[in-house]
Amino acid sequence: MTIQWYPGHMAKAQKQIKERLKLVDIILEIVDARVPESSINPMIQELGQNKPVLLILNKADMADAQKTQQWIETFKKRGITAIALDAQHKAKLPMIEKVAQEILADKLAKKRAKGIRNPVIRAMCVGVPNVGKSTILNRLMHKNIAVTGNRPGVTKNQQWLKASERFEVLDTPGVLWPKFDDPAVGNKLALTGAISDVVYHADDVVVFALDYFKQFYPNQLRKTYQATDADLEQSSPELIMILTKRLGFKEDYDRFCIKFINDARQGKLGRFTLDPVPAEAKGND
Ligand code: GDP
């Protein structure tokens, strides 16, 4: 799903998400593990009025595994609980409920003390487009059992989906707007698919990506596009011209740029993480 964001849309989305977040105990903010910092939404604390957040670094299968671990440590230092997931494989999904229970341990203990024997956790998924919100929701459900309830605060079109006896998730995820102000963030979000095709220039994104891949993942350029050492010493615009020809696209540079972006989005360029891990997480402090 690609969405273009205008200030009016953002204000409307913000209002709707804020209303729905009132209904939940915990917010599941989904980010793309390849851009954990760039795809996070800084407004979520405010929108959720300081409700607990579990940050889910999804698409971990496409990210640099070591950097994903370092990002999880970084978030921990910032007071944010984060886990890594690959929503296409079900095995790790029960972690969401388990960690949500840990985060909400005090609240659940209080409910038990009041005589509620099996307190239910209610959650909602939020995140920028294309990070895997719908996939996670679908995979979380045992049999797609929808719990409609004439429960207060839930409109006719909304349902609680039952992930387990004690874990319910609102059926419609909250679509958050991406950050636009920093062009580097825009390029990263375009490369991972959170920003729609009409908002960016493919050649800008690819120049940015080649600069980054030459530095951090040169082997992946060698492997995917048969880039030679001499090629990798060229400037990124030069490299676009070289690789366009090598792929037989003659002078159709746009064709190469679009292919490159699609390859990156589909994992054909190998695993990568575009947000550098802050220095403090790498050290042995
Ligand atoms: P949403 O816009 O946030 O709801 O994102 P979707 O759930 O529609 O997912 C966007 C695309 O990413 C789809 O093609 C999914 O199949 C794919 N996807 C979702 N989760 C993962 C994941 O963990 N790993 C990989 N490789 N692809 C995923």
Side-chain angles (χ1 to χ4, degrees), residues 175-186:
V175 184
L176 298 172
W177 52 97
K179 299 180 220 178
F180 291 111
D181 22 4
D182 178 351
V185 169

Side-chain angles (χ1 to χ4, degrees), residues 1 58-62 85-88 128-136 173:
M1 176 175 46
N58 189 41
K59 304 200 186 186
D61 57 312
M62 298 172 97
L85 265 197
D86 162 11
Q88 291 186 322
V128 301
N130 228 17
V131 289
K133 298 177 295 298
S134 318
T135 310
I136 289 182

Side-chain angles (χ1 to χ4, degrees), residues 144-156:
N144 251 346
I145 317 165
V147 195
T148 20
N150 293 325
R151 291 190 184 152
V154 183
T155 68
K156 248 191 283 173

Side-chain angles (χ1 to χ4, degrees), residues 148-169:
T148 20
N150 293 325
R151 291 190 184 152
V154 183
T155 68
K156 248 191 283 173
N157 305 327
Q158 271 173 20
Q159 295 181 327
W160 292 102
L161 299 173
K162 220 172 168 149
S164 82
E165 283 310 313
R166 297 184 202 172
F167 192 45
E168 294 179 7
V169 189

Side-chain angles (χ1 to χ4, degrees), residues 64-174:
D64 186 321
Q66 188 189 10
K67 290 200 174 133
T68 299
Q69 268 322 307
Q70 291 171 335
W71 266 113
I72 288 176
E73 288 301 313
T74 303
F75 285 122
K76 196 171 164 189
K77 285 184 185 156
R78 295 180 187 170
I80 300 168
T81 306
I83 58 172
L85 265 197
D86 162 11
Q88 291 186 322
H89 294 102
K90 266 190 155 178
K92 272 196 161 180
L93 282 167
M95 242 171 93
I96 299 179
E97 179 176 351
K98 190 172 159 275
V99 178
Q101 274 173 358
E102 286 165 16
I103 294 173
L104 294 168
D106 287 350
K107 188 171 179 181
L108 295 172
K110 275 185 201 146
K111 284 192 174 176
R112 286 195 195 95
K114 280 192 199 157
I116 303 169
R117 236 184 293 155
N118 290 321
V120 172
I121 295 176
R122 297 228 177 105
M124 175 173 160
C125 292
V126 298
V128 301
N130 228 17
V131 289
K133 298 177 295 298
S134 318
T135 310
I136 289 182
L137 261 183
N138 287 334
R139 298 287 160 101
L140 262 180
M141 298 314 129
H142 269 322
K143 296 175 196 153
N144 251 346
I145 317 165
V147 195
T148 20
N150 293 325
R151 291 190 184 152
V154 183
T155 68
K156 248 191 283 173
N157 305 327
Q158 271 173 20
Q159 295 181 327
W160 292 102
L161 299 173
K162 220 172 168 149
S164 82
E165 283 310 313
R166 297 184 202 172
F167 192 45
E168 294 179 7
V169 189
L170 217 48
D171 67 345
T172 321

